[in-house]
Amino acid sequence: MSATTEEKIRTPYDAKHVAIVDTGRTVWALYIPDPEQACDPQAVADNICHPKYADVEIVATVERFYKKEGAHFSGWVVAGNGGNSDGIPNKRQAMKSLRLLIQDRFGRAGQ
């Protein structure tokens, strides 16, 4: 085997290689460069602090807030690209916003 074939092949840095992990009240958009790790994004999310996931990037998050738990509103917030969205009333709209944020981030990264 040559040195080239022994090196790990890195996944392209683009939106197609972002995994969305939904845990109910929190959703993570993870760029996982290792194709083997990308096969199980839930395991990556569950162990994100492990050194073997040091190259994983949290691209964006969606989080649910409730007034009854002390928040100023009940709804969802999308965070990424250096900012947070205003409160979004339902998860479906929050997920649409998350996907748009991912596309925007990687669209600009390639330019």
Side-chain angles (χ1 to χ4, degrees):
M1 293 181 100
S2 70
T4 313
T5 57
E6 290 178 0
E7 292 179 26
K8 285 189 177 182
I9 298 171
R10 187 170 173 89
T11 301
Y13 192 71
D14 61 21
K16 293 179 189 175
H17 296 91
V18 173
I20 295 176
V21 179
D22 187 339
T23 63
R25 290 179 61 166
T26 304
V27 179
W28 287 0
L30 302 173
Y31 171 74
I32 307 172
D34 184 327
E36 289 180 32
Q37 293 173 352
C39 291
D40 190 0
Q42 184 66 53
V44 175
D46 291 344
N47 300 290
I48 194 78
C49 292
H50 192 283
K52 72 179 179 181
Y53 300 122
D55 290 338
V56 173
E57 179 182 345
I58 300 173
V59 174
T61 61
V62 177
E63 190 172 354
R64 176 72 161 112
F65 293 91
Y66 294 95
K67 278 186 178 181
K68 66 183 179 184
E69 293 178 353
H72 291 63
F73 68 96
S74 286
W76 298 85
V77 172
V78 179
N81 282 355
N84 296 331
S85 70
D86 291 332
I88 301 171
N90 62 60
K91 190 172 187 177
R92 184 176 182 190
Q93 280 303 118
M95 294 302 289
K96 285 182 182 180
S97 293
L98 174 66
R99 287 183 186 92
L100 288 172
L101 186 143
I102 293 166
Q103 289 174 354
D104 182 53
R105 176 186 178 133
F106 286 97
R108 285 185 293 152
Q111 294 176 356

